[in-house]
Amino acid sequence: MEIEILITSQPLVPVKTTPEGCGAVVEFAGIVRGEEDGGVISALEYQAYQPMAEREIERLAREINVEHPCGFVRVHHRIGIVPVGETAILLQAASRHRGAAFAFASAFMDRLKQDVPIWKIRAIPVVP
């Protein structure tokens, strides 16, 4: 499996790829909503311990790949201030068949929040 990991403060842009031998590409984009804990917000701020986050993302991808084989996985996560409507995380999983790609994406996103040292540190309220 090929893994591409990017943790950046720059806006995330979907990259369309269809790796050879893969018949399915599942893409998940986590978009910042305009509400957090019942309040209206303008952005979220994320922080990461980048070297460890990259290692954990790779470890998780390889672990999940054993049960849900994919030929290619792309994980891009944004840090810093991410405005409402912009992408905080982009995951692409490519496999021979759709079942493995969907299962990989679901399992990965479930584990990302609990295992990877990337934190939502604050919601920035809308200033009237």
Side-chain angles (χ1 to χ4, degrees):
M1 171 182 56
E2 182 183 343
I3 304 170
E4 178 184 302
I5 300 167
L6 175 67
I7 298 174
T8 181
S9 61
Q10 299 302 308
L12 301 181
V13 178
V15 179
K16 300 296 181 191
T17 55
T18 306
E20 191 171 326
C22 294
V25 178
V26 169
E27 180 176 288
F28 171 80
I31 310 297
V32 175
R33 296 182 306 271
E35 178 270 327
E36 180 78 6
D37 296 327
V40 179
I41 65 166
S42 64
L44 290 174
E45 186 173 6
Y46 291 89
Q47 193 174 61
Y49 178 53
Q50 196 158 339
M52 187 177 191
E54 291 168 353
R55 283 193 307 271
E56 281 300 295
I57 288 169
E58 182 167 354
R59 182 189 66 77
L60 276 180
R62 293 198 184 284
E63 184 178 300
I64 293 166
N65 194 61
V66 171
E67 189 171 342
H68 309 294
C70 288
F72 176 78
V73 171
R74 173 179 286 123
V75 181
H76 292 183
H77 204 300
R78 193 158 165 197
I79 55 174
I81 295 174
V82 183
V84 165
E86 293 191 16
T87 303
I89 182 163
L90 177 64
L91 167 67
Q92 293 171 320
S95 64
R96 292 183 55 78
H97 304 285
R98 72 180 183 271
F102 275 113
F104 182 98
S106 181
F108 184 87
M109 290 309 300
D110 287 346
R111 297 278 306 276
L112 176 79
K113 288 188 174 194
Q114 70 185 37
D115 292 359
V116 177
I118 298 175
W119 306 278
K120 179 171 40 177
I121 59 171
R122 70 181 175 129
I124 300 170
V126 170
V127 178

